[in-house]
Amino acid sequence: MKPMSGVSVTKGAEDAAPAADDLVVLSNVNKHFGALHVLQDIDLTIARGEVVVVIGPSGSGKSTLCRTINRLETIDSGAIAIDGKPLPQEGKELARLRADVGMVFQSFNLFAHKTVLENVMLGQIKVRRTDKKAAEDKARSLLDRVGVATQADKYPAQLSGGQQQRVAIARALAMDPKVILFDEPTSALDPEMINEVLEVMQQLARDGMTMVVVTHEMGFARSAANRVVFMADGKIVEEATPDQFFSNPRSDRAKDFLSKILHH
Amino acid sequence: MFDFLEGYDLLGAFWVTVQLTVYSALGSLIWGTLLAGMKVSPVPLMRGFATAYVNVVRNIPLTVIMVFSSLGLYQTLGIALGADATEDINFRLAVLALAAYTAAFVCEALRSGINTVPVGQAEAARALGLSFTQVLRLIILPQAFRAVVNPLSNVLIALTKNTTVASAIGVVEASYLMKDMIEAEAQLILIALVFAFGFIVLTLPTGLILGWVSKKVAVKR
């Protein structure tokens, strides 16, 4: 059960990706919640254009890992760099860096007092300083891309969960992020709405977006991931291509996990 | 029956009450919002200041603050707030005292409103790259205000009635006139009823209108 530290196992042309193309690098990251050691010596490198799916049992630290990448969770030791720049302390620098890292949350977190269109325009106008007209055009085209263009003038509470999550993806895309973090994006959705969100994510993956996806959707991991990272008890237990991982997991912990979720 | 009202400027006195209320409400809203912002800020010094301010000011009787404003600020330190006539000076000092006092309550109401905004709202805003002040100004406070229209309406009603304390430093508002009339006229109960009615006329619509606004602007989640 040795962690496969820093090994970048990727599909196809990405195989020979040089180190210069590493977009997100976590090295020796540790974090505690009180006495609980939630992240233990995490080493993980995500290359530009790569889709990394993080799976594992509840409480394994995968959401925390995802949230450390844009410093919504601070770390106790180790280092995280995005596009060669180490994560700065809270402040202007960090805000600038966060603008380049999109995030999609489990509970959508659309701004409840703003319309769908305003949600997608806000970051462009206030952070990117885009003029209003351009921001609106871009917002509308992104909403069209995720299939909710007709809902632009509604408030988030008037939309279904699947629609809200697609708006959240559009909101992240509006910032032209280098990488998008998905923190269990379908876990709060009714089963019938999961696919509409996954389809949008599949499309993003095909378009070459760099994605870190924490999920329980094994189907998505199989079809869209370049690499599966399996976490348990705060450690990265196994990293492999989806084919390798699902058909031939090496660690006992992963075998146990897969036997519980895949046999029926 | 209401002959005793003759010779008194009842409307004028209530107009002063309204002016005291409006200026103090605006001042306390601005100052209270700033205090609430400090209370949730990441800077320990600001949090400490706001906490100390609220705890000190809301635990001192308004009369004491009002008298301090007149005796301390004006008569001792000579701060006249840019006015010349005694009447204006007293009015401005009263507004300052009322606003400083009421801001502590506005701050606390607003902070409970901030607590109703889910953490995810701020996280999503920070993840977009908004700064702390932008998150507060664009995401948190607009939702917090919508959640506390009713508590703020209570604060406003209390403020309206608290303006009567301004008579302690010689501002001729409604209760000042009432004391004058009680000394000069015989119809004590009628006089009290007239002024009670006057305040209800001011505060009842406030409560009703803001209650309606509260429902209208509530954030649906």
Side-chain angles (χ1 to χ4, degrees), chain A residues 226-240:
Chain A
N226 297 113
R227 181 161 43 126
V228 171
V229 170
F230 176 70
M231 284 186 78
D233 306 321
K235 298 191 193 82
I236 294 179
V237 177
E238 196 165 335
E239 286 184 66

Side-chain angles (χ1 to χ4, degrees), chain A residues 23-44:
Chain A
L23 189 56
V24 180
V25 180
L26 290 85
S27 44
N28 205 19
V29 169
N30 280 280
K31 179 175 180 66
H32 299 78
F33 281 131
L36 189 66
H37 199 171
V38 275
L39 295 179
Q40 305 181 19
D41 300 323
I42 301 289
D43 288 302
L44 180 66

Side-chain angles (χ1 to χ4, degrees), chain B residues 100-111:
Chain B
Y101 177 78
T102 311
F105 296 90
V106 171
C107 169
E108 285 304 277
L110 206 45
R111 199 173 60 115

Side-chain angles (χ1 to χ4, degrees), chain A residues 72-246:
Chain A
L72 284 182
E73 297 287 353
T74 54
I75 56 175
D76 298 337
S77 67
I80 300 175
I82 291 172
D83 212 1
K85 286 192 232 60
L87 277 189
Q89 293 294 305
E90 200 75 42
K92 276 210 175 72
E93 274 294 301
L94 182 64
R96 205 167 305 142
L97 198 132
R98 277 182 179 142
D100 290 335
V101 180
M103 181 132 191
V104 175
F105 298 85
Q106 179 176 349
S107 46
F108 330 131
N109 294 348
L110 292 178
F111 304 131
H113 63 306
K114 293 192 175 289
T115 64
V116 163
L117 186 67
E118 287 166 348
N119 264 274
V120 185
M121 288 167 66
L122 184 82
Q124 299 183 64
I125 293 171
K126 298 296 177 183
V127 178
R128 297 284 190 227
R129 305 283 168 199
T130 315
D131 76 83
K132 221 172 168 185
K133 183 76 186 74
E136 182 176 337
D137 289 348
K138 185 170 185 179
R140 287 196 189 277
S141 84
L142 283 169
L143 287 173
D144 190 40
R145 183 169 158 194
V146 299
V148 286
T150 53
Q151 317 288 333
D153 297 319
K154 291 191 181 166
Y155 285 88
Q158 297 170 288
L159 271 57
S160 73
Q163 289 171 328
Q164 287 191 52
Q165 195 59 300
R166 285 183 281 152
V167 173
I169 293 173
R171 178 174 69 178
L173 286 172
M175 304 299 287
D176 296 319
K178 293 173 180 165
V179 50
I180 303 187
L181 313 171
F182 293 84
D183 184 8
E184 303 204 25
T186 56
S187 298
L189 294 176
D190 290 343
E192 65 207 279
M193 292 167 184
I194 291 177
N195 277 335
E196 63 189 51
V197 172
L198 290 181
E199 273 161 27
V200 170
M201 291 168 61
Q202 299 265 17
Q203 188 58 51
L204 278 181
R206 281 196 290 274
D207 293 347
M209 175 59 73
T210 311
M211 295 160 66
V212 178
V213 185
V214 174
T215 187
H216 294 290
E217 293 299 322
M218 299 305 147
F220 177 81
R222 268 182 205 275
S223 59
N226 297 113
R227 181 161 43 126
V228 171
V229 170
F230 176 70
M231 284 186 78
D233 306 321
K235 298 191 193 82
I236 294 179
V237 177
E238 196 165 335
E239 286 184 66
T241 63
D243 285 350
Q244 276 172 1
F245 180 78
F246 288 109

